[in-house]
């Protein structure tokens, strides 16, 4: 079923599963962009410090179960399937009518309890206030949320969260917990920070506006100038935890951080180096555009672009395309267990892109990444140009499966 925000169904489901989320401490992260990177840093550092942790992020990249990791390693599919099927059975037997994301959230919480983790690292799915992950309660000395974090907030999912930054910030700030410290990226717009301040004050939650700390960014393998903000947020959260983690361990953790589909350079056997990035909203597109200017300058780029239906296509393309670039629109394959996600039509992508760049339409209605790669292997006029694939994490997943 489609996204249907609310906590009633997930609360009932978890109750019938004996509330597995009450078996460990948690860190809860909301925001528009940077949530996954922030949690990837935290997970890598905790893993290096021998603190057993489970991470739940969304969407998945390659396989449905890769959104759940233990100590930074994807949870085995056989174990995932077993627990996921047991959760689905409870949902069906009791006719709770939980959404796919609610079932996945309950599966993650159950896995973390079964694996006896110390710390759960939880990324909000959509928004925060009514997101399924927000069933988590404040830390009481035994279990619950020990810290919340809010990354950069921009316009995205406006139909669900509201059409202004303040409305969206209000939803994201809904994860702030009573008397639990909250850490916020300082690069947020002032209206966002004011909204978060008000919610923190109402919740008696200590609030920390996190400034960039450049002490460890040189060790990060993740690309993009914005990573200094994500890493700084992660480090401030790490410092508030009840563990003694040395700078040496932090350095090792940062250097071993991996987060696919975000300014990731991959190698194609025939096409060489390809940059993939899941930028799918305006804030992310601005950051991608800045990175492309820095890396490629005025060089002509071949863009392979696919986006989810309903996204503001122009608001993404206008920040990344130049007149001398070439755009090839494509579809992405249907993501597992996410029937509400559909790719934007090739025709609409092409019509939007031709306002900014040259376009190559391989087909009006049915092109996927494998066909685009075969076309580029034979198309001599586009040889030796940088290739950038962006617009959707689902498209990035197709690419990673293909190569």
């Amino acid at each position: 079923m489609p996204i249907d925000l609310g906590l009633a169904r997930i609360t009932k489901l978890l109750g019938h599963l004996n509330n597995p989320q009450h078996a460990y401490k948690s860190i809860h992260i909301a925001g528009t962009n940077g949530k996954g990177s922030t949690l990837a840093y935290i997970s890598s550092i905790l893993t290096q410090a021998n603190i057993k942790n489970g991470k739940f992020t969304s969407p998945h990249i390659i396989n449905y179960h890769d959104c759940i990791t233990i100590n930074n390693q994807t949870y085995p599919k056989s174990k995932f399937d077993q627990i996921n099927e047991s959760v689905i059975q409870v949902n069906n037997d009791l006719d709770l009518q939980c959404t796919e994301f609610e079932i996945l959230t309950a599966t993650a919480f159950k896995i973390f309890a079964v694996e006896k983790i110390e710390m759960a690292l939880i990324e909000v799915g959509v928004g925060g206030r009514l997101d399924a992950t927000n069933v988590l309660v404040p830390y009481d000395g035994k279990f619950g949320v020990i810290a919340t974090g809010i990354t950069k907030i921009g316009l995205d999912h406006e139909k669900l969260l509201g059409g202004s930054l303040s409305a969206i910030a209000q939803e994201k700030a809904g994860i702030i917990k009573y008397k639990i410290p909250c850490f916020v990226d300082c690069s947020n717009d002032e209206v966002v920070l004011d909204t978060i301040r008000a919610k923190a004050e109402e919740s008696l939650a200590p609030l920390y506006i996190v400034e960039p700390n450049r002490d460890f960014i040189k060790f990060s393998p993740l690309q993009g100038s914005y990573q200094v903000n994500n890493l700084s947020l992660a480090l401030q959260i790490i410092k508030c935890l009840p563990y003694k983690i040395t700078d040496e361990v932090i350095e090792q953790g940062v250097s071993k951080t991996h987060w696919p589909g975000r300014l990731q350079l991959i190698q194609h056997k025939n096409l060489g180096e390809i940059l993939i990035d899941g930028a799918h909203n305006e804030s992310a597109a601005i950051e991608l555009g800045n990175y492309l200017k820095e890396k490629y300058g005025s060089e002509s780029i071949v863009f392979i672009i696919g986006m989810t239906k309903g996204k503001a296509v122009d608001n993404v393309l206008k920040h990344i395309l130049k007149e001398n670039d070439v755009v090839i629109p494509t579809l992405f394959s249907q993501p597992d267990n996410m029937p509400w996600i559909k790719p934007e039509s090739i025709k609409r992508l092409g019509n939007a892109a031709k306002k900014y760049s040259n376009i190559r339409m391989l087909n009006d209605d049915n092109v996927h990444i494998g066909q685009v790669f075969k076309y580029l292997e034979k198309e001599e006029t586009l040889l030796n140009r940088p290739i950038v694939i962006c617009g959707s994490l689902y498209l990035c997943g197709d690419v990673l499966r293909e190569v």
Side-chain angles (χ1 to χ4, degrees), residues 38-231:
T38 300
L39 286 177
Y41 285 125
I42 294 173
S43 179
S44 190
I45 292 167
L46 292 181
T47 299
Q48 288 301 305
N50 295 314
I51 298 165
K52 191 170 186 180
N53 65 93
K55 175 162 57 72
F56 174 47
T57 56
S58 58
H60 62 279
I61 298 296
I62 300 176
N63 301 301
Y64 189 57
H65 67 288
D66 69 25
C67 59
I68 297 172
T69 67
I70 301 292
N71 288 342
N72 244 1
Q73 298 297 310
T74 299
Y75 198 60
K77 185 177 185 301
S78 59
K79 289 185 174 183
F80 171 88
D81 287 344
Q82 185 178 2
I83 293 175
N84 185 234
E85 286 165 12
S86 70
V87 172
I88 291 171
Q89 188 69 51
V90 171
N91 176 64
N92 292 345
D93 287 350
L94 299 172
D95 194 26
L96 298 178
Q97 299 183 34
C98 289
T99 67
E100 287 87 351
F101 183 72
E102 289 165 352
I103 289 169
L104 185 60
T105 299
T107 299
F109 290 171
K110 183 69 174 177
I111 285 171
F112 296 158
V114 167
E115 295 297 327
K116 295 181 169 59
I117 64 161
E118 169 74 12
M119 184 72 68
L121 311 176
I122 308 297
E123 175 187 355
V124 165
V126 175
R129 182 176 64 91
L130 295 176
D131 185 73
T133 62
N134 208 30
V135 294
L136 297 171
V137 297
Y139 182 60
D140 65 356
K142 294 180 180 178
F143 63 82
V145 176
I146 200 165
T148 59
I150 300 177
T151 61
K152 188 66 177 284
I153 291 176
L155 295 176
D156 201 5
H157 298 292
E158 292 97 320
K159 289 181 181 177
L160 289 168
L161 306 179
S164 67
L165 280 178
S166 60
I168 293 172
Q170 188 72 39
E171 293 299 316
K172 307 282 187 187
I175 71 162
I176 293 175
K177 306 290 188 288
Y178 179 66
K179 290 189 175 180
I180 299 300
C182 177
F183 301 84
V184 183
D185 181 348
C186 74
S187 69
N188 272 296
D189 192 277
E190 196 59 36
V191 69
V192 168
L193 295 177
D194 285 344
T195 302
I196 293 170
R197 286 187 186 104
K199 178 61 178 177
E201 184 176 348
E202 175 191 319
S203 305
L204 302 181
L207 183 66
Y208 302 88
I209 309 297
V210 179
E211 300 286 337
N213 176 343
R214 301 186 181 276
D215 292 347
F216 292 92
I217 192 63
K218 61 186 175 185
F219 304 112
S220 174
L222 305 188
Q223 299 299 306
S225 59
Y226 56 85
Q227 285 299 344
V228 69
N229 294 83
N230 296 334
L231 177 56

Side-chain angles (χ1 to χ4, degrees), residues 212-376:
N213 176 343
R214 301 186 181 276
D215 292 347
F216 292 92
I217 192 63
K218 61 186 175 185
F219 304 112
S220 174
L222 305 188
Q223 299 299 306
S225 59
Y226 56 85
Q227 285 299 344
V228 69
N229 294 83
N230 296 334
L231 177 56
S232 300
L233 193 63
L235 293 176
Q236 282 297 108
I237 292 172
I238 287 285
K239 285 180 183 177
C240 89
L241 302 181
Y243 314 114
K244 291 183 179 178
I245 301 177
T246 66
D247 284 355
E248 182 181 3
V249 168
I250 290 174
E251 179 183 322
Q252 291 171 352
V254 171
S255 68
K256 293 182 178 180
T257 301
H258 177 63
W259 192 232
R262 284 79 171 177
L263 293 180
Q264 181 183 4
L265 288 169
I266 61 171
Q267 288 293 323
H268 185 278
K269 61 181 179 180
N270 297 321
L271 299 172
E273 184 179 272
I274 296 175
L275 178 71
I276 65 172
D277 188 74
H280 58 276
N281 55 53
E282 188 165 17
S283 298
I286 290 169
E287 297 294 351
L288 174 58
N290 291 338
Y291 180 80
L292 295 177
K293 286 174 193 169
E294 183 181 315
K295 185 172 177 63
Y296 300 118
S298 59
E299 198 172 350
S300 174
I301 298 171
V302 175
F303 283 92
I304 303 169
I305 295 177
M307 295 184 67
T308 301
K309 189 179 289 291
K311 294 293 183 183
V313 176
D314 276 278
N315 286 350
V316 171
L317 300 188
K318 68 184 180 182
H319 294 293
I320 61 175
L321 299 180
K322 309 183 303 295
E323 283 187 19
N324 63 336
D325 293 331
V326 174
V327 175
I328 303 175
T330 186
L331 304 175
F332 53 75
S333 55
Q334 181 64 48
D336 290 342
N337 297 306
M338 302 178 80
W340 64 91
I341 297 292
K342 301 293 180 187
E344 186 54 83
S345 71
I346 287 172
K347 186 175 181 180
R348 180 163 183 245
L349 290 174
N351 286 338
K354 68 184 180 184
K355 290 183 278 187
Y356 308 101
S357 301
N358 305 298
I359 63 167
R360 300 281 179 97
M361 301 285 282
L362 305 193
N363 189 303
D364 277 344
D365 58 8
N366 189 25
V367 175
H368 288 81
I369 195 65
Q371 296 160 272
V372 179
F373 283 160
K374 287 177 182 176
Y375 169 78
L376 289 175

